[in-house]
Amino acid sequence: MALRVSAAALVAEARARIPEVETADAIADLGAEDLVIVDIRDVRERQRSGFIPGSVHAPRGMLEFWVDPESPYHREVFAQTGKRYLFHCASGWRSALAVATLQDMGFDAAHLRDGFTDWVEQGGPVEHPEPKD
């Protein structure tokens, strides 16, 4: 089966129209009061690889509903005024698509260009969940 548009093409189109943040800049900005870092990776990825300290987890499949103030699934973390939202996944593909969709909805956000993998490679701090008993 041939697709009309590949996943890579969708990501490239999204990246061409959304703000991208370089890893070094995000590491330097970590802890800024106006910054909300949103991890859209699967919960198992967070458990296995750790996460950026202070980041909020929002599963990719629920993101549009959590951001929408009229949705019954809305989360208050996405209703904060004066905040900068930086989304990330493992490599920057899912977060590019997510941020493009959120911008289509009217939600201002950026994404971590090269994702959590690059964050780790560049020495960004990582927290690990407490082991379950």
Side-chain angles (χ1 to χ4, degrees):
M1 171 179 80
L3 298 173
R4 281 182 279 133
V5 180
S6 69
L10 288 174
V11 170
E13 188 277 330
R15 284 184 154 171
R17 65 183 181 97
I18 64 171
E20 297 189 296
V21 174
E22 297 294 334
T23 303
D25 295 332
I27 290 171
D29 215 13
L30 185 63
E33 285 190 30
D34 67 334
L35 180 64
V36 178
I37 297 177
V38 183
D39 185 345
I40 65 166
R41 295 176 301 152
D42 182 273
V43 68
R44 291 168 294 223
E45 290 175 276
R46 282 176 59 93
Q47 291 168 346
R48 183 177 52 249
S49 304
F51 50 89
I52 296 173
S55 63
V56 174
H57 181 241
R60 175 66 191 99
M62 291 300 293
L63 194 53
E64 294 85 351
F65 304 102
W66 285 18
V67 166
D68 184 350
E70 296 185 23
S71 165
Y73 301 103
H74 177 67
R75 296 289 195 265
E76 283 301 314
V77 68
F78 296 109
Q80 301 179 53
T81 57
K83 298 289 185 179
R84 295 177 295 136
Y85 290 87
L86 177 63
F87 288 77
H88 80 84
C89 61
S91 64
W93 283 41
R94 288 173 286 176
S95 59
L97 294 175
V99 168
T101 299
L102 294 179
Q103 288 205 344
D104 289 345
M105 294 174 68
F107 187 87
D108 189 29
H111 92 115
L112 185 60
R113 177 172 169 53
D114 296 311
F116 184 75
T117 302
D118 193 56
W119 177 277
V120 172
E121 288 173 1
Q122 290 200 33
V126 175
E127 288 186 2
H128 293 275
E130 293 292 322
K132 294 183 179 181
D133 293 333

